[in-house]
Amino acid sequence: MIGFKIPFNKASLEGDEIANVLKAFSDMHVAGDGGFTRQCHELLQAAIGAPKALLTTSCTHALEMAALLLDIQPGDEVIAPSFTFVSTVNAFVLRGARPVFVDIRPDTLNLDERQIEAKLTAKTRAIVPVHYAGVGCEMDLICRLASARGIAIVEDNAHGLFGSYKGRKLGSFGQFSTLSFHETKNITCGEGGALIINDSKFVERAEIIREKGTNRSQFFRGQVDKYGWVDVGSSYLPSEVLAAFLVAQLEVSESIQRRRHGAWSRYQTELQSWADGLGVGLPFVPAEADHPAHMFYLLMPTLAQRQAFIAHMWEARIVTPFHYVPLHTSLMGRKLGYVEGDCPITESVSDRLVRLPLYASISSEDQSKVIEQVLAFRG
Ligand SMILES: *Cc1c(COP(=O)(O)O)cnc(C)c1O
């Protein structure tokens, strides 16, 4: 059928999203920090076991808040993977910090914890691990390195809501962690995010930075009798309309997660022998990691085969994108002085990785078409 395609990702209405949005409008409480936002905060705090969650307009903005809260200054250094989305480091670069890129592990594609120590200097202020595909980084060593030197950890947990490492929830390890509710993530409101604060001493200032540098949150709670400008800040809180949508998704997260896991496991089971035959890598999940079925990727043997695979899938109108273009070899990375060869595993994985369609509402028939078309690829 011409024009029909199987997308890589499709957001879906899962519960009370529309009813909640209409309620936000009929109550005419559409600015931020109303009842729906409070419900989101409670559900996120419970999901991660964190003392404080604050909804933000994006994961990018939550990362920017973390950089402000840590008082990152020009010349400071921040350790991060190069194999990630640009916001992981841009939030810190905005404050004048230099990103110090560490290569990834060839198995989990997470920041290689064994390479961090050699990159630490007197200027290192934060380590920003990304739990790629929601598979936890080796947090034991990362936490040890950070606490021994008084360095902060900011987990970019955009992929990892509901994941855990050694039984502990992802997003609960760092002083801060950040979530994304972008359309491409497991739980969505279109554009949105959250800052998770695990160290309570940052809560008061976080509320101020999120509210334009004012103590308006304290005013609304009756703690001060007028509010004013008390610190730097910006506008990082989303409208109730988005929170209304988001809470409906969070309320049915078990159902969303169950269907994502079903589709993820089906790919694994039905593609394993094909992958073994062609030397294609499938996602590696260590025994100590519980992942949230955010992504199912293939690691093709070569760049040429990856490109041929994408073209082959498109013949059946199936969208299979690659990512990430390494940050260290990007235009900006080069301006910062990085060159090709600085992170060889990142470069190789970036050339060879491709992602399969995965979303809660993918039908069994559509997934069968994807699997059939994958199995027809012979190299
Ligand atoms: C999606 C994503 C982000 C950015 O999320 P936004 O909510 O769009 O700002 C940051 N980091 C990673 C690893 C992501 O996947």
Side-chain angles (χ1 to χ4, degrees):
M1 210 193 337
I2 302 295
F4 175 82
K5 66 175 185 175
I6 299 178
F8 163 63
N9 174 69
K10 195 156 82 183
S12 48
L13 294 174
E14 294 289 344
D16 293 335
E17 290 94 338
I18 299 301
N20 284 1
V21 167
L22 289 175
K23 181 162 192 319
F25 277 112
S26 61
D27 293 352
M28 260 311 146
H29 192 140
V30 287
D33 278 345
F36 286 120
T37 299
R38 271 195 299 280
Q39 276 178 270
C40 289
H41 289 171
E42 279 159 23
L43 289 170
L44 291 172
Q45 284 157 199
I48 294 170
K52 190 73 184 174
L54 289 172
L55 284 195
T56 56
T57 31
S58 63
C59 180
T60 302
H61 278 165
L63 287 159
E64 286 180 22
M65 282 185 67
L68 284 166
L69 285 160
L70 292 172
D71 274 321
I72 299 293
Q73 298 294 318
D76 287 347
E77 292 177 357
V78 172
I79 304 274
S82 167
F83 189 66
T84 183
F85 189 66
V86 61
S87 297
T88 309
V89 300
N90 228 355
F92 297 88
V93 171
L94 259 178
R95 307 257 67 79
R98 176 178 174 77
V100 174
F101 294 116
V102 171
D103 210 353
I104 50 173
R105 296 171 57 109
D107 52 5
T108 57
L109 316 186
N110 278 330
L111 180 74
D112 190 339
E113 69 286 350
R114 296 158 298 195
Q115 296 187 32
I116 294 175
E117 192 163 16
K119 307 258 178 171
L120 298 176
T121 74
K123 294 179 186 165
T124 310
R125 295 288 319 285
I127 303 173
V128 192
V130 178
H131 304 300
Y132 183 71
V135 173
C137 295
E138 287 299 322
M139 294 312 292
D140 282 349
L141 181 58
I142 294 173
C143 291
R144 244 190 346 264
L145 287 170
S147 67
R149 303 213 185 197
I151 296 168
I153 295 174
V154 180
E155 300 168 74
D156 180 340
N157 197 27
H159 301 179
L161 178 58
F162 309 125
S164 58
Y165 167 87
K166 296 191 178 171
R168 185 167 157 189
K169 291 292 179 194
L170 300 183
S172 70
F173 292 88
Q175 279 74 16
F176 304 106
S177 65
T178 63
L179 292 168
S180 175
F181 304 116
H182 183 263
E183 185 181 315
T184 51
K185 305 306 199 285
N186 290 23
I187 303 287
T188 185
C189 60
E191 300 274 1
L195 178 69
I196 305 299
I197 304 172
N198 292 310
D199 183 341
S200 298
K201 78 166 187 253
F202 290 106
V203 169
E204 188 179 329
R205 188 160 184 241
E207 289 182 336
I208 288 168
I209 287 174
R210 180 169 166 271
E211 266 283 21
K212 300 95 180 165
T214 73
N215 53 353
R216 187 156 151 181
S217 301
Q218 293 167 330
F219 172 73
F220 281 139
R221 284 195 297 262
Q223 293 165 339
V224 290
D225 55 15
K226 52 179 177 300
Y227 76 88
W229 185 20
V230 295
D231 202 338
V232 296
S234 189
S235 187
Y236 290 124
L237 72 165
S239 153
E240 273 295 280
V241 180
L242 289 173
F245 194 101
L246 184 65
V247 75
Q249 295 245 317
L250 286 170
E251 278 170 346
V252 296
S253 61
E254 261 175 52
S255 150
I256 293 173
Q257 290 300 103
R258 183 171 12 87
R259 281 173 287 141
R260 290 190 77 101
H261 275 290
W264 195 98
S265 302
R266 191 176 161 205
Y267 277 140
Q268 189 188 40
T269 309
E270 298 188 24
L271 297 181
Q272 189 70 61
S273 62
W274 166 85
D276 291 345
L278 280 183
V280 170
L282 298 186
F284 171 70
V285 182
E288 62 268 24
D290 245 330
H291 74 97
H294 175 58
M295 193 192 298
F296 197 94
Y297 61 82
L298 307 174
L299 267 176
M300 306 303 286
T302 65
L303 170 62
Q305 279 168 299
R306 197 268 304 272
Q307 296 309 87
F309 178 86
I310 291 173
H312 166 83
M313 295 304 284
W314 182 242
E315 281 170 22
R317 293 293 178 268
I318 297 167
V319 181
T320 57
F322 62 83
H323 78 173
Y324 290 108
V325 180
L327 296 181
H328 72 284
T329 55
S330 66
L331 186 62
M332 189 66 183
R334 286 170 199 275
K335 279 189 201 166
L336 290 165
Y338 291 97
V339 294
E340 222 163 289
D342 283 344
C343 299
I345 304 202
T346 296
E347 290 162 34
S348 163
V349 165
S350 168
D351 280 347
R352 298 184 293 112
L353 186 136
V354 60
R355 297 172 291 163
L356 299 184
L358 179 65
Y359 38 93
S361 64
I362 192 168
S363 67
S364 153
E365 300 74 46
D366 278 358
Q367 197 180 6
S368 297
K369 284 185 204 153
V370 176
I371 291 169
E372 241 170 72
Q373 187 69 5
V374 172
L375 295 179
F377 184 77
R378 298 263 108 242

